Structures are given as C-alpha cells and as structure tokens.
C-alpha cells in the first residue's frame, strides 16, 4: 500500500482519543450502575438507554485498544478489535434510533402498550442485524487493517478489500446516514406534540403558577429533546466527512484536526449520554451527590430533594416526646 494512502496517527491524537474513550467508558458504566443500584429508575426508556450504554461501553473499550495499538497489519487482534467495534458501533446506531421510536410511540401515539411491545423487536434488530453484518464481514475477510483511512488507529474494513466502500456502508455508514435523517424527524414530531399539548392546557396554567419547579423540569426535558439529535450529529459528522473525502479521493481526510475530531466524536457517545441522562437529570444527580458526599452544595440539593430530612428528624423527635406524655387516644390520633 502506498504511503500516501496511510493516515499518520500522532501521539497527541492518541492521547486525546484515549481520554475520550476513558470518559465514554466511565459515562456508560455510570449509566449502567445507576440503573442497577436504584430500582425505581428501571423504566423502559432508561432500560433502552442501558442497552445503548452497553454498546457504547464496548465501542469505547475496542476503540481504546485500537488507538493504543495503532495497527499496521491484518493481525488476529486487529481483526478481533475491528469486529467488536463494528458490532458495537452499529448496534449503538440502532439503539439510538430505537429510543427515539419508543418515545415517539409512547408520547405522540399515546400508546404505552404498543411502545413496550416494540422492545423485543428492538432487541432482535439492534443486536441481531449488527451481529449478522459483523459475522458476514469477518467470514469474508472484510475486517482488517484500513490504514486509518476512515478510522484513528483502529481496524475496520480492510483497505485491501476491492469492495471496501460497499462494506463500509454495510458495517456502519448507511446506518449512520439513516440515523441522521430519522432522529431529527422523530424528535421534532415529539417536541411539536408536547408544545401542542401545552398550548391546549394553557387555560389551566394559572392553577399551576405556584409550582415553578414543574416548569423547570419541563424546560429541561424540552432542551434534552433538542440536544439528543444535535449532539449525535455533531459527534458523528466528522467520521462522515472523512468518508466523503475518501470517496472523493481528497488528501484532506488526513488532516490532523479532522482526524482528532473524528476520534473524539466516535468515542464520546457514552460520555454525552451520561451528561444528558445522569449529570443533567436532577433526581439522579442529587442521589449521586448525596451518596458520594462530594460537596456541601450537593448535600443541600439532597436535603431539598428528599424533603428536608433534618426538619423531619426534629419533628419526629418532638412528636415522640409528645406521644410519651399524651394519652393513648392522643397517640392513636397522632398516628
């Protein structure tokens, strides 16, 4: 292979992308752990988010190994790493769209039963299709060293494959393009439905005027619906740009800045999901802060979220003293 077709991965790029992999690994792990620890958080949407996080976790680990090694041949570990990252990355696309479809059916179509019935279908598609594609690619020797043409040190579709563009599409790019189109449409429809519902209930807003916290939660949820497709596109667009430059035969795909952005984008999905659905979700953030006792501010948030426990303890002590002094009938009344 000619040297001009090989993209050099510099040490600084390795460090940056490895840091991104580490953040995504930690973010995906945190999403999974919060789901396991707190049973009341085990709703169907968050369960789907956990499955997405499993895919992102696998992606982060496999990409980190590839970036650390920076393969130069079709070795066995290159093929294994390429197969795992191909499966996990493709599965991540499917689970991201699956969450959007679930929310659309649940919110816009107002059918929780139908939405829940789709979960089995999501499993079959989001695990089955990537697995079938990956097995086919490995069996036909399509996974291997790609000279970092559309990667950052890790292995993907072998650069020696004569039909490598077709397999790049099948093992990721075509699903990435479909996600670009599907996610904005679904989330726009969901936001539109929510706004219409709010407008229809506008005459009751004065009744809820003394509940500003509800409005803040609604505002945060609305922002998340906007950010989900935007963040997905912002993270993934650099990979798409390099793929298009490859098709055009442009050497600009080897630009170090573009390569670095590609590496960060492909490995940051787990970290981005953690920020949106853990760190920016007040109930979960409050529980984490309270559990870790990380700072005074977090403890104050925990006190407010759980109904000022110090005051409740004082009231309990006072009521206990009163019950000891009162008559039996008064005790029964207090209870």
């Amino acid at each position: 292979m000619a040297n001009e077709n090989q993209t050099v991965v510099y040490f600084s790029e390795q460090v940056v992308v490895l840091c991104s992999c580490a953040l995504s690994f930690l973010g995906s792990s945190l999403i999974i752990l919060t789901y396991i620890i707190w049973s009341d958080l085990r709703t169907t949407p968050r369960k789907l988010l956990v499955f997405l996080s499993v895919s992102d976790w696998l992606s982060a680990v496999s990409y980190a190994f590839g970036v650390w090694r920076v393969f130069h041949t079709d070795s066995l570990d290159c093929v294994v790493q390429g197969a795992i990252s191909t499966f996990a990355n493709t599965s991540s696309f499917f689970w991201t769209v699956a969450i959007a479809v679930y929310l659309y059916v649940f919110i816009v179509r107002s059918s929780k039963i139908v939405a829940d019935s789709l979960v089995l279908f999501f499993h079959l598609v989001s695990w089955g299709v990537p697995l079938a594609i990956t097995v086919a690619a490995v069996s036909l020797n399509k996974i291997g060293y790609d000279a970092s043409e559309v990667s950052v040190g890790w292995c993907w579709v072998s650069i020696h494959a004569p039909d490598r563009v077709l397999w790049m599409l099948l093992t990721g790019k075509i699903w990435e393009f479909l996600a670009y189109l599907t996610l904005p449409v679904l989330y726009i429809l969901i936001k539109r439905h929510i706004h219409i519902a709010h407008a229809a209930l506008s005459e009751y807003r004065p009744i809820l005027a003394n509940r500003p916290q509800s409005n803040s939660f609604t505002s945060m949820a609305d922002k998340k619906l906007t950010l989900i497709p935007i963040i997905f596109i912002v993270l993934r667009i650099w990979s798409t740009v390099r793929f298009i430059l490859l098709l055009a035969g442009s050497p600009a795909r080897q630009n170090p800045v573009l390569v670095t952005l590609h590496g960060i984008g492909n490995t940051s999905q787990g970290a981005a999901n953690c920020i949106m659905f853990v760190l920016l979700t007040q109930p979960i953030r409050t529980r984490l802060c309270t559990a870790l006792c990380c700072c005074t501010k977090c403890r104050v948030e925990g006190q407010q979220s759980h109904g000022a426990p110090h005051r409740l303890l004082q009231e309990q002590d006072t009521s206990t003293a009163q019950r000891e002094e009162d008559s039996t009938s008064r005790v029964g009344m207090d209870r």
Side-chain angles (χ1 to χ4, degrees), residues 66-128:
V67 175
W68 174 65
R69 283 291 308 274
V70 186
F71 294 103
H72 297 288
T73 60
D74 288 326
S75 58
L76 177 60
D77 52 351
C78 168
V79 175
V80 172
Q81 180 273 312
I84 294 175
S85 62
T86 297
F87 167 77
N89 197 46
T90 307
S91 178
S92 179
F93 293 149
F94 280 101
W95 279 116
T96 302
V97 175
I99 292 174
V101 172
Y102 180 90
L103 293 176
Y104 173 79
V105 174
F106 181 78
I107 296 175
V108 179
R109 297 302 179 184
S110 301
S111 179
K112 185 179 186 301
I113 296 177
V114 175
D116 289 341
S117 68
L118 291 174
V119 173
L120 178 59
F121 174 76
F122 292 154
H123 278 288
L124 294 175
V125 173
S126 300
W127 299 126

Side-chain angles (χ1 to χ4, degrees), residues 187-213:
Y187 281 111
I188 287 173
L189 292 175
I190 294 171
K191 282 170 60 67
R192 180 175 175 270
H193 176 83
I194 293 175
H195 290 166
I196 292 175
H198 285 175
L201 295 173
S202 60
E203 60 181 302
Y204 299 104
R205 285 177 183 171
I207 301 176
L208 303 176
N210 60 341
R211 299 179 64 182
Q213 198 174 24

Side-chain angles (χ1 to χ4, degrees), residues 280-297:
L280 293 182
T281 302
Q282 187 186 12
I284 301 178
R285 183 179 70 247
T286 301
R287 293 185 186 192
L288 286 174
C289 291
T290 303
L292 298 175
C293 298
C294 57
C295 62
T296 304
K297 180 179 179 180

Side-chain angles (χ1 to χ4, degrees), residues 1-9 70-74 78 144-160 164 242 253-254:
M1 185 55 58
N3 292 332
E4 58 269 17
N5 289 335
Q6 299 179 10
T7 300
V8 178
V9 179
V70 186
F71 294 103
H72 297 288
T73 60
D74 288 326
C78 168
Y145 170 65
D146 69 344
S148 295
E149 287 280 71
V150 196
S151 68
V152 188
W154 57 75
C155 291
W156 189 28
V157 177
S158 175
I159 196 170
H160 303 292
R164 62 192 181 115
R242 288 193 70 201
R253 67 182 181 276
Q254 300 174 345

